[in-house]
């Protein structure tokens, strides 16, 4: 077996994760001109946060934090970037970069990464027909979010839950 080379970039000082990192995700390529490529990287953490950094041309800057959980007990278990949507002309129709996060609070939150202070929308998995942030607690196998995945079109978000269910959402663009 060949040994791997050492990491080329250590993001610890930029993302400043203070707790376990549960997932790392890269955004789709935002722009590419010549050899310059830009994208975001995000981490879902046990401290209830999503840490986000802008990566451009071998440098990483502009770290941001999105607070998924409303209390100190919530862990952010997963995060995934929404794929861009394309028009009939093959050009991207989406001007903003969106990210979905899920956690032990049984909520899925959709974020515009350019405005990380407040989510665009929030969905409860406790009662999928009730999106006004009221929940009924379930003690055994609560529907915490374990995994998230977007359809290739970015129109459907799937969530794998702790109670064995899979929810499909169609967040508005």
């Amino acid at each position: 077996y060949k040994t791997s080379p050492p990491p080329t970039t250590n993001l610890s000082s930029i993302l400043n994760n203070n707790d376990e990192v549960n997932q790392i995700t890269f955004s789709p390529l935002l722009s590419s001109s010549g050899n310059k490529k830009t994208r975001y990287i995000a981490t879902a953490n046990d401290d209830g946060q999503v840490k986000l950094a802008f990566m451009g041309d071998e440098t990483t800057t502009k770290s941001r934090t999105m607070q998924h959980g409303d209390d100190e007990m919530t862990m952010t278990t997963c995060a995934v970037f929404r794929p861009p949507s394309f028009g009939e002309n093959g050009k991207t129709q989406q001007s903003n970069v969106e990210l979905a996060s899920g956690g032990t609070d049984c909520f899925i939150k959709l974020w515009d990464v350019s405005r990380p202070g407040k989510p665009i929308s929030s969905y409860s998995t406790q009662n999928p027909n009730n999106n006004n942030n009221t929940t009924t607690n379930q003690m055994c196998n609560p529907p915490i979010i374990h995994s998230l995945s977007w359809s290739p079109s970015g129109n459907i978000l799937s969530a794998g839950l702790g109670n064995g269910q899979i929810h499909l959402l169609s967040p508005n663009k």
Side-chain angles (χ1 to χ4, degrees):
Y1 294 100
K2 293 183 180 181
T3 58
S4 299
T8 57
T9 304
N10 184 346
L11 298 176
S12 300
S13 63
I14 295 166
L15 291 169
N16 197 24
N17 293 306
N18 297 321
D19 215 329
E20 287 182 30
V21 175
N22 294 314
Q23 186 173 10
I24 302 169
T25 183
F26 285 94
S27 71
L29 193 60
L30 303 174
S31 66
S32 179
S33 62
N35 291 332
K36 291 185 177 183
K37 296 179 179 175
T38 58
R39 68 177 71 229
Y40 286 97
I41 184 170
T43 60
N45 306 309
D46 271 3
D47 59 7
Q49 297 178 335
V50 176
K51 301 286 182 119
L52 180 77
F54 179 77
M55 299 179 66
D57 198 29
E58 303 298 322
T59 60
T60 306
T61 58
K62 298 181 184 177
S63 177
R64 295 180 177 153
T65 300
M66 295 175 280
Q67 186 66 42
H68 175 90
D70 293 333
D71 61 42
E72 59 197 41
M73 299 301 292
T74 298
M75 293 185 285
T76 306
T77 54
C78 52
V80 63
F81 285 97
R82 187 178 210 163
S85 58
F86 296 93
E88 291 181 19
N89 61 1
K91 298 204 178 205
T92 304
Q93 293 180 316
Q94 190 173 324
S95 61
N96 58 338
V97 178
E98 294 179 358
L99 177 128
S101 64
T104 58
D105 59 354
C106 303
F107 278 91
I108 299 167
K109 296 186 179 179
L110 185 63
W111 305 85
D112 176 346
V113 300
S114 67
R115 295 184 301 239
K118 184 178 175 186
I120 299 168
S121 55
S122 182
Y123 305 91
S124 171
T125 59
Q126 290 275 356
N127 181 353
N129 297 321
N130 179 6
N131 287 324
N132 63 1
N133 294 348
T134 60
T135 61
T136 304
N137 292 333
Q138 180 180 343
M139 295 304 287
C140 297
N141 295 330
I144 64 174
I145 293 85
H146 281 279
S147 62
L148 294 169
S149 181
W150 286 101
S151 66
S153 67
N155 293 327
I156 299 171
L157 177 63
S158 60
L161 308 181
N163 62 2
Q165 293 182 355
I166 298 171
H167 285 200
L168 298 178
L169 305 167
S170 297
N172 295 333
K173 287 216 176 211

